[in-house]
Amino acid sequence: KLNPLQLRTLTLLQAIARLPGAAAPQSNGDVAITAFPHAHGDHFHLGDATVRGSDATGLENQAVWNALSRKGLVRAEWPHQIALTPSGVAYDTGLADQILHHGGAH
């Protein structure tokens, strides 16, 4: 069971893993995150979604990376690299619709 901060962080890592140029599949089935988003004031963009900065505090939190690692959802070497495991990619956080805000027309 993940706490709310861990769930938000995993949701964002999953979204980053789907962005072209932001992640790289590994031979062991992991998906390495190769680029983190840059904030614009109080928010940042993930593809066509906008994310509030307050929902992303776990992306730069060693305790969150360690907790997700212990649960087998990521492989991490703080603060240098993080990769989603197949379990992390497949985990349903139930939060994507709440923290990934999509605009109107596409």
Side-chain angles (χ1 to χ4, degrees):
K1 184 166 165 59
L2 302 179
N3 71 32
L5 179 59
Q6 294 162 358
L7 283 169
R8 288 193 306 270
T9 303
L10 182 58
T11 301
L12 294 175
L13 290 170
Q14 291 169 337
I16 294 166
R18 291 189 295 271
L19 292 176
Q26 306 295 296
S27 59
N28 63 357
D30 290 357
V31 179
I33 304 299
T34 58
F36 277 94
H38 298 287
H40 304 283
D42 63 351
H43 72 281
F44 61 91
H45 299 276
L46 288 180
D48 65 349
T50 302
V51 177
R52 289 190 305 264
S54 60
D55 285 328
T57 57
L59 288 178
E60 296 181 1
N61 183 315
Q62 183 177 5
V64 172
W65 284 33
N66 290 343
L68 293 174
S69 288
R70 279 193 311 275
K71 295 168 193 280
L73 300 171
V74 303
R75 291 186 216 287
E77 184 183 310
W78 173 264
H80 306 290
Q81 59 190 14
I82 190 165
L84 287 165
T85 64
S87 296
V89 170
Y91 193 100
D92 182 7
T93 65
L95 292 181
D97 291 341
Q98 296 173 39
I99 65 174
L100 300 172
H101 306 283
H102 295 277
H106 293 266

